[in-house]
Amino acid sequence: MRVRDWQDIVEDVIHSGADPGGWRAVGGDRANGIGEDIYIGHPSAGVFQLKTYAKNPFEVQGVGSQVARRIDEDIDPLFPTEGSGLFGVQQAPEDEDDAEQKAKNLETVIETHADAPTTPRAMLEDVLDAVDSPAYGPMEFDQYDRPERMDELTETFEEAEELLDAEFEDIIDEDVERGFY
């Protein structure tokens, strides 16, 4: 298992080639210390774990790794089929033409949903599809605690958790000043 910068893991998700709407995620507070933990999974692309914290409002630091190559029958129930919300991974348009095409697609989706009965989830999925999101799906996230599923995932990937925690603590020790100025 290779521990890398969290943004490298997001790039792996983007370039996985997996069905964009097939992703699922579980996230919440880190069990020991500052920051957040998140598990992102797809049946054919595997499971990725990220540990992040906001260094300041403009910068996020963290580490991550692929902890499983696929989701098997033991791991599948630990990911939500419906969550407290949806998540999406975005990538910047490749060029001006791509940006214009995505904007036109988005405009069409919003006009269509304005004229027809819809649900918030259906609209968000159509928006993410219109802007060519490489990964999105249901997410269970608790910003004040940890969902039960997260504790079960942490136990399932205990060795990865220990390694990622050690690497993450090194980043925090380098970046976070304790005390007041």
Side-chain angles (χ1 to χ4, degrees):
M1 182 183 95
R2 275 184 25 207
V3 175
R4 299 178 297 159
D5 185 83
W6 74 278
Q7 292 175 325
D8 293 339
I9 302 304
V10 172
E11 284 293 319
D12 287 352
V13 168
I14 288 171
H15 298 296
S16 70
D19 169 39
W23 292 88
R24 299 177 288 162
V26 177
D29 276 350
R30 210 170 132 236
N32 304 315
I34 66 170
E36 299 81 32
D37 283 343
I38 186 168
Y39 288 89
I40 302 171
H42 190 284
S44 65
V47 178
F48 300 86
Q49 182 181 3
L50 302 171
K51 291 185 172 291
T52 62
Y53 81 97
K55 182 176 179 179
N56 61 53
F58 306 103
E59 184 178 355
V60 174
Q61 296 289 327
V63 296
S65 184
Q66 183 172 15
V67 294
R69 294 179 195 255
R70 65 180 183 85
I71 295 179
D72 62 22
E73 62 277 348
D74 295 332
I75 299 170
D76 188 57
L78 303 178
F79 283 96
T81 54
E82 291 187 19
S84 55
L86 292 174
F87 80 99
V89 175
Q90 283 306 121
Q91 60 186 17
E94 295 174 14
D95 54 31
E96 191 173 318
D97 291 337
D98 185 36
E100 287 177 15
Q101 184 60 48
K102 286 180 180 179
K104 286 178 186 176
N105 293 346
L106 183 58
E107 183 178 12
T108 302
V109 164
I110 292 180
E111 287 173 356
T112 301
H113 279 274
D115 294 338
T118 190
T119 64
R121 182 181 177 120
M123 182 176 172
L124 184 58
E125 286 179 356
D126 288 349
V127 164
L128 291 170
D129 192 41
V131 295
D132 202 21
S133 177
Y136 61 89
M139 176 176 207
E140 183 178 339
F141 190 87
D142 189 336
Q143 55 190 335
Y144 302 109
D145 200 5
R146 292 173 62 84
E148 286 181 33
R149 294 173 194 254
M150 177 162 264
D151 290 333
E152 292 177 43
L153 282 163
T154 299
E155 289 173 15
T156 301
F157 301 111
E158 189 174 355
E159 289 179 24
E161 175 71 19
E162 290 175 13
L163 184 57
L164 284 168
D165 246 354
E167 293 286 331
F168 189 65
E169 285 297 328
D170 288 346
I171 290 173
I172 290 173
D173 288 345
E174 290 174 12
D175 286 349
V176 177
E177 297 289 328
R178 308 251 190 256
F180 298 94
Y181 291 99

